[in-house]
Amino acid sequence: QLLKLQRLHGGFYRSLSTTMKVPSAADSSAGASRSGYSLGTVVAVGAAGALGGAVLTEQDGRWRRLALPGGEFRACCEAVTTETQKAIPDTLEGIVGKKYVTKNYRQKGSRIGQGTSLAYVQPGTLKEAVAVLKACVAADVAIIPQGANTSLTGGAIPRDECDRPVVVINMRRLNKILPIGQDANRVLCFSGSGIYDLKEMLAKDYKRDSHSVLGSIFLNVSVGAGVAYGSGGTQIRKGPAWTERALFCRVKDNGDVELVNTLGLKDEGDVLSFLDGRDALTGEDLDPSCKLASSWPDYAAKVRSIDGKVSRCNADTTGPDCCRSEGKVMILASIHDTYPQPEKSELVWVGCKDFETAQALKRAVALKSDKCMSSTCEYMNREVYDGVDRAGRILIWMIELVGMSRLEPLWNLKLLVEMVPLPFTGIICDKFLYWFNNLTPMPLPSSLQELGQSYDHHLLMEFGEFSEGEVDRLKSSLDSFAKAQPEGNVKYHVCQTAKERSRATLYRFVVAPAFRTFAVGKGIQGLSIDYALPKNFGKYPSLPEAKYPIMNRWVYSHLGCNVFHEDLTFGTDINVDEAKYAIKHSVEDTGGKLPAEHGHGIEYPAPKEMLQRWQKMDPLNVMNPGVGGLSVSRRYGA
């Protein structure tokens, strides 16, 4: 890309020099140029160009030094390659076909990291995926398994500091979804299948609901990545993406690739051929002797127990190696429980005067009992409401216009533009979104705008009819709670139309991209964090604002689980990296865990117990080296 740009610029300047005639001294002394430009004009234009270039370069450099939300610039890996490593792209082409291998492929993370891999390969079958992995291990390259590349902490992006070249194995073509039996109470997903695709297919064909609904569902995040991170999302009845029934590969200490199969299928001893050749599964394909779980046991009861423990976090080591592995194994497929859709559901927007009231409402209504429980209980504060209004309108309208299924390519295009090595490309998309935001109408109806502008704390709760009369009981509990409060403390609105429901939901879920647009638009630094607080902790954690003054504090959460996201802005004089770790310590002082959902990636050091677990499952440090603060060297530098 750089060579192409250099050739392009060189051609432009050569063309300019042939069309601009510089006058002779005689012409200049006459004070005019009869056949070209005066020498004074040429000098003035040249000086202006030099000055403008210097200003642009300085300004672009200033932007690149700022800590934008997830904006960090990293160079590509420059490790010395052996002849075997140099040949690996051709070797991979022989396995998956030339069309599905890209050499020297540069990628950017959604928030953090960018780098270049020696090869980017997309296997199309499980057998191809295993063959690709074996070839990469034999060539002594580092390997990064990748889904939709929506990781927010850089864990799915090549990194410069590796002591070996990197190969990215992108699993997106492995997108097969196999409901099990006519009732589809369980579903087998190849690791590259998207959670939006899964949700839509189950709803349309089986009237069932999927295991995972995230705020980033509009990016069609992969099922395999959900297992690898233990992503949680909005569903307080279901729990995080977790299963004991999976198919994955790990690299042993002797360099052999081991296929681990806990799916519990009657696969006749060849699970790869069995699954590659199937378009459907029946109940008869399940081995009745396998009693492994395909969802987190009794998660709803765990959430309702308001104790000093967190409901979930990224450092939880429970379950088989694939769960919360963060790329230290290569997940091929997994089985998950599905869930009945409610007979009907209603979405309620609640405004509260203070956060303590919002927490009390959660306990009294959303988590009332196992037979009367909200499906979701989402929270956002006033700064989130105002910030999305200032920087997220276009995204909401775009999702409505093109649909969720078509948004992923547009998101990838934005990341591609941000990688182009020209001034301001890293911010230009968000600048335009910010500048033109207010030219689009406010997407929320007037009833919700009134709540948003009148209250500082907001809950978005979905009530589902999972048992007879459950929605009415939940609404009655909400009404009783509101009436028991001082006048004006609580007010709510039940969304009346599908469009009203959709826009209220999107308003909550576009917060993260809207925040980057907000920070870039205002020219300030930003930091995004996620953490889990103890379930009995009912207030915001105190942050070290005396040392690191915060300009804006966007707080939004999966309040039912007490899992929080915060987007913070700082002045340009603040060391945001230092502030991030000070904030992490503040959260942990409350008994909280950071990160909770987005993974450690290359942003956060993982706890000792998690590091030891990863080292045990990947003793050679072949898979995703550097994750969670681990060494990037072979055998962890031993």
Side-chain angles (χ1 to χ4, degrees):
Q1 288 178 326
L2 285 170
L3 288 173
K4 289 179 182 177
L5 287 168
Q6 288 167 357
R7 287 195 291 268
L8 176 64
H9 292 168
F12 171 76
Y13 291 128
R14 285 194 296 273
S15 174
L16 183 64
S17 67
T18 58
T19 57
M20 180 187 292
K21 180 179 178 183
V22 179
S24 65
D27 292 331
S28 178
S29 64
S33 171
R34 292 177 294 274
S35 57
Y37 297 100
S38 70
L39 181 59
T41 300
V42 174
V43 171
V45 169
L51 179 61
V55 171
L56 286 175
T57 300
E58 192 279 329
Q59 288 296 313
D60 182 57
R62 185 182 73 83
W63 273 105
R64 291 177 184 262
R65 289 190 297 271
L66 286 181
L68 299 176
E72 182 171 327
F73 290 81
R74 295 172 182 263
C76 65
C77 180
E78 298 177 351
V80 176
T81 55
T82 65
E83 293 304 315
T84 304
Q85 291 167 343
K86 290 178 182 178
I88 193 64
D90 296 331
T91 302
L92 299 179
E93 287 179 359
I95 297 172
V96 303
K98 192 170 184 177
K99 179 180 178 181
Y100 299 110
V101 177
T102 306
K103 302 175 183 179
N104 299 316
Y105 188 63
R106 188 162 184 81
Q107 287 183 287
K108 180 182 184 298
S110 294
R111 281 184 179 170
I112 183 173
Q114 59 179 294
T116 301
S117 56
L118 181 64
Y120 172 87
V121 56
Q122 297 174 286
T125 67
L126 298 179
K127 282 188 173 180
E128 286 182 0
V130 175
V132 163
L133 179 61
K134 289 181 176 180
C136 290
V137 173
D140 188 31
V141 296
I143 300 159
I144 297 181
Q146 188 184 81
N149 187 25
T150 57
S151 169
L152 299 178
T153 52
I157 292 296
R159 54 215 58 142
D160 180 39
E161 56 269 22
C162 295
D163 60 352
R164 297 147 286 170
V166 175
V167 170
V168 172
I169 304 179
N170 182 277
M171 310 296 279
R172 207 55 165 159
R173 289 181 63 213
L174 296 173
N175 56 6
K176 191 181 289 189
I177 299 172
L178 302 175
I180 301 174
Q182 294 183 344
D183 55 7
N185 286 341
R186 290 176 179 170
V187 61
L188 185 145
C189 301
F190 282 21
S191 64
S193 55
I195 62 172
Y196 178 76
D197 294 336
L198 174 62
K199 180 176 174 61
E200 289 293 291
M201 186 270 280
L202 288 173
K204 178 183 176 182
D205 297 341
Y206 298 95
K207 297 191 185 318
R208 302 282 295 179
D209 200 7
S210 63
H211 69 286
S212 183
V213 180
L214 308 178
S216 56
I217 192 170
F218 59 86
L219 296 176
N220 208 21
V221 178
S222 70
V223 171
V227 175
Y229 285 98
S231 52
T234 66
Q235 309 293 293
I236 57 179
R237 289 171 171 259
K238 302 175 186 177
W242 185 92
T243 182
E244 293 178 324
R245 307 183 75 148
L247 180 69
F248 58 94
C249 292
R250 59 188 173 204
V251 182
K252 299 171 67 176
D253 188 57
N254 61 3
D256 289 345
V257 172
E258 178 185 15
L259 183 66
V260 181
N261 178 11
T262 63
L263 291 172
L265 298 176
K266 299 176 185 176
D267 54 35
E268 300 176 355
D270 185 1
V271 65
L272 300 180
S273 297
F274 177 82
L275 290 177
D276 278 337
R278 298 297 290 269
D279 293 319
L281 293 173
T282 69
E284 294 299 313
D285 292 317
L286 291 175
D287 182 352
S289 66
C290 180
K291 305 299 183 184
L292 295 175
S294 41
S295 63
W296 191 283
D298 299 321
Y299 182 77
K302 180 180 181 180
V303 168
R304 289 196 313 275
S305 177
I306 308 298
D307 54 28
K309 299 177 182 178
V310 301
S311 57
R312 51 185 167 86
C313 69
N314 286 127
D316 193 329
T317 60
T318 306
D321 281 356
C322 59
C323 294
R324 298 187 174 96
S325 54
E326 295 203 30
K328 298 304 283 184
V329 303
M330 187 173 78
I331 300 172
L332 299 171
S334 52
I335 291 178
H336 300 274
D337 288 336
T338 67
Y339 298 83
Q341 288 187 329
E343 293 295 322
K344 64 177 182 178
S345 65
E346 295 192 8
L347 190 69
V348 185
W349 185 306
V350 186
C352 299
K353 282 296 184 184
D354 53 63
F355 186 61
E356 290 74 15
T357 301
Q359 283 278 13
L361 192 155
K362 172 190 76 174
R363 294 191 290 270
V365 179
L367 305 180
K368 184 174 182 179
S369 74
D370 60 341
K371 293 182 174 57
C372 190
M373 185 174 177
S374 175
S375 300
T376 66
C377 183
E378 297 293 291
Y379 166 83
M380 58 184 175
N381 70 356
R382 177 63 181 271
E383 291 214 48
V384 170
Y385 176 87
D386 292 339
V388 172
D389 183 35
R390 186 64 190 87
R393 292 185 186 183
I394 292 177
L395 184 54
I396 292 173
W397 287 109
M398 188 180 301
I399 294 173
E400 280 207 343
L401 179 65
V402 306
M404 284 197 183
S405 61
R406 296 186 181 91
L407 197 67
E408 184 184 358
L410 295 176
W411 180 262
N412 290 335
L413 177 61
K414 179 177 183 287
L415 295 181
L416 184 63
V417 170
E418 290 172 354
M419 282 197 304
V420 174
L422 290 174
F424 304 111
T425 52
I427 61 169
I428 193 63
C429 294
D430 288 294
K431 278 289 188 184
F432 274 113
L433 289 172
Y434 187 78
W435 289 335
F436 295 110
N437 180 81
N438 286 353
L439 297 181
T440 58
M442 176 35 149
L444 291 179
S446 57
S447 54
L448 296 183
Q449 288 185 49
E450 180 185 348
L451 280 176
Q453 293 162 8
S454 302
Y455 290 87
D456 290 338
H457 303 271
H458 302 274
L459 295 179
L460 200 60
M461 299 190 294
E462 183 179 5
F463 297 160
E465 188 83 351
F466 295 101
S467 60
E468 186 175 352
E470 187 168 356
V471 169
D472 289 338
R473 293 196 301 273
L474 285 164
K475 288 169 66 176
S476 177
S477 296
L478 174 59
D479 194 53
S480 297
F481 181 88
K483 289 178 178 177
Q485 301 301 307
E487 185 175 354
N489 248 34
V490 175
K491 186 176 181 180
Y492 66 88
H493 173 79
V494 180
C495 295
Q496 299 298 314
T497 66
K499 180 171 287 188
E500 201 173 51
R501 286 177 58 119
S502 172
R503 291 186 179 174
T505 301
L506 288 175
Y507 205 88
R508 160 64 183 86
F509 286 153
V510 302
V511 177
F515 177 65
R516 177 179 167 86
T517 298
F518 178 85
V520 170
K522 294 182 74 68
I524 52 181
Q525 299 192 97
L527 172 66
S528 297
I529 57 175
D530 66 297
Y531 55 84
L533 292 177
K535 289 170 288 181
N536 61 5
F537 195 89
K539 56 186 179 180
Y540 290 0
S542 298
L543 303 185
E545 297 189 57
K547 187 173 182 180
Y548 306 103
I550 295 170
M551 299 172 66
N552 302 98
R553 187 175 182 182
W554 295 22
V555 183
Y556 51 108
S557 81
H558 312 303
L559 193 64
C561 308
N562 235 29
V563 171
F564 287 76
H565 301 264
E566 289 207 37
D567 292 336
L568 311 169
T569 64
F570 301 88
T572 56
D573 59 331
I574 299 297
N575 186 323
V576 174
D577 201 48
E578 282 185 8
K580 174 173 64 180
Y581 289 106
I583 291 169
K584 177 176 168 64
H585 293 315
S586 295
V587 169
E588 290 170 348
D589 286 343
T590 70
K593 302 288 185 181
L594 189 160
E597 301 190 312
H598 296 160
H600 300 86
I602 58 173
E603 191 166 18
Y604 298 107
K608 182 178 180 180
E609 185 181 14
M610 182 62 83
L611 296 178
Q612 290 173 340
R613 180 175 184 254
W614 287 339
Q615 288 174 301
K616 184 177 180 181
M617 67 176 73
D618 179 28
L620 298 182
N621 201 20
V622 172
M623 308 295 292
N624 208 7
V627 68
L630 285 169
S631 168
V632 296
S633 302
R634 295 173 181 85
R635 291 186 177 272
Y636 305 96

